[in-house]
Amino acid sequence: MNADLHCHSCHSDGVLSPAALAARAAANGVELWSLTDHDNLGGLDEAREQARALGMRFIDGVEISVTWHGTTIHVVGLGIDPRHAPLEQGLASVRSGRDERALRMADALEALGVRDAYANAMRHAGNPSLVGRSHFARVLVEQGYAPDVHAVFRDYLVRGRPGYIEHQWTALEQAVAWIRGAGGVAVVAHPGRYRISGDQLLRLLGDFRDAGGQAIEVVSGSHGEAEVRHFARLARDFGFYASRASDFHAPDESPIDLGRGAHLPAGVEPVWHAPELGSRAACPA
Ligand code: AMP
Ligand code: MN
Ligand code: MN
Ligand code: MN
């Protein structure tokens, strides 16, 4: 099964439209696809419609920004009902702080010499309510501050670097409750990306399971082979389903294209076997 259950469109910080992503996924052989934009559901109707037209099975998804003990964590929701009002309202509350954060980020970057940082980031933001670090990263690349967005993040946009602005997202338990309330499965996104210790990661996964979380990304565009093996083992230890995810954002930026990651290792239970996703995954959309 070629499943890709995490990627981004221009409704958050990806660069392609949902329709263009659907076409790219289908061309790459994806059979089961989910669009998981950050903190909003605006691309799902177009993605679902295009997936159907291309004969791909589709799962409604979202990636929610969470703050857990001071660290930003991303929780993907798969198989959510996009019309579930508490989820929609919750996501609106998560989005509400982004503009002020962007203004503060722009001030910090302009102090380093970046020109018109806010206006230029907004030019990249297909959805102004979702303006974020990726849009600023593209501005810094354009203005020659770094060769690519990856270097921009490393040198400017992570904690301890001059363009980083602390931000409080929603609580882990809250994000999981919105996802479960909307009928979905909650998945810890790219566990290899968090700069926390091994013990802290075990605590995170324990808190997540206690809150009703059921899955982790084992294969992710952020994971190397050793991490895939490590997170497969943790999925088994915690009784989590395993997800497979490119986290594709843009052709020139993302390490893995849609549907092109490793397959899940043997011995884990794919998240598309979860009963919450069963009906959607079993019948052509
Ligand atoms: P934000 O939600 O505004 O904090 O932006 C988070 C987004 O920044 C993530 O979803 C990624 O798309 C991007 N990002 C974070 N870290 C990196 C990195 N090291 N390299 C490239 N993109 C990154
Ligand atoms: Mn992103
Ligand atoms: Mn993420
Ligand atoms: Mn993502």
Side-chain angles (χ1 to χ4, degrees), residues 13-25:
D13 58 357
V15 302
L16 301 181
S17 67
L21 279 175
R24 193 177 180 101

Side-chain angles (χ1 to χ4, degrees), residues 43-268:
L44 293 177
D45 286 347
E46 180 181 324
R48 194 184 316 107
E49 196 175 300
Q50 291 298 313
R52 182 182 292 131
L54 293 161
M56 267 185 307
R57 289 176 280 175
F58 183 74
I59 292 175
D60 286 306
V62 66
E63 181 175 21
I64 305 181
S65 312
V66 158
T67 301
W68 177 82
H69 294 285
T71 296
T72 298
I73 303 293
H74 286 172
V75 177
V76 163
L78 296 176
I80 42 103
D81 172 3
R83 288 169 306 280
H84 187 69
L87 173 65
E88 279 186 300
Q89 287 157 12
L91 294 177
S93 74
V94 178
R95 288 193 296 274
S96 65
R98 277 191 179 265
D99 194 57
E100 204 215 311
R101 170 187 185 241
L103 289 165
R104 294 177 59 207
M105 212 180 291
D107 283 346
L109 292 170
E110 287 180 6
L112 301 171
V114 178
R115 295 181 306 282
D116 293 328
Y118 181 79
N120 279 313
M122 281 299 185
R123 183 167 51 74
H124 285 283
N127 175 357
S129 75
L130 245 298
V131 62
R133 285 185 289 163
S134 300
H135 306 111
F136 284 95
R138 291 172 190 142
V139 174
L140 267 68
V141 172
E142 275 171 359
Q143 295 191 18
Y145 283 84
D148 55 49
V149 296
H150 196 76
V152 175
F153 271 91
R154 187 193 60 213
D155 295 342
Y156 295 95
L157 296 182
V158 293
R159 184 178 276 164
R161 308 307 300 181
Y164 184 74
I165 302 297
E166 289 289 344
H167 192 75
Q168 186 76 26
W169 303 104
T170 196
L172 179 70
E173 293 75 14
Q174 181 64 82
V176 174
W178 286 330
I179 291 166
R180 305 269 339 229
V185 175
V187 188
V188 171
H190 42 64
R193 259 235 327 253
Y194 308 122
R195 299 206 285 182
I196 58 179
S197 70
D199 282 351
Q200 284 173 311
L201 180 66
L202 296 180
R203 268 198 294 277
L204 167 66
L205 296 180
D207 286 357
F208 176 72
R209 186 172 60 185
D210 291 346
Q214 293 173 281
I216 62 171
E217 288 181 354
V218 167
V219 170
S220 159
S222 304
H223 294 169
E225 283 174 37
E227 284 170 312
V228 170
R229 283 195 298 276
H230 179 59
F231 293 119
R233 195 161 55 239
L234 284 181
R236 283 196 299 272
D237 291 350
F238 278 83
F240 288 143
Y241 292 108
S243 189
R244 177 174 188 258
S246 64
D247 202 3
F248 179 81
H249 283 71
D252 302 332
E253 293 176 12
S254 296
I256 293 187
D257 206 332
L258 290 161
R260 290 280 162 81
H263 284 280
L264 287 178
V268 296

Side-chain angles (χ1 to χ4, degrees), residues 257-283:
D257 206 332
L258 290 161
R260 290 280 162 81
H263 284 280
L264 287 178
V268 296
E269 192 66 15
V271 68
W272 49 92
H273 290 177
E276 289 85 345
L277 305 184
S279 57
R280 290 175 186 79
C283 57

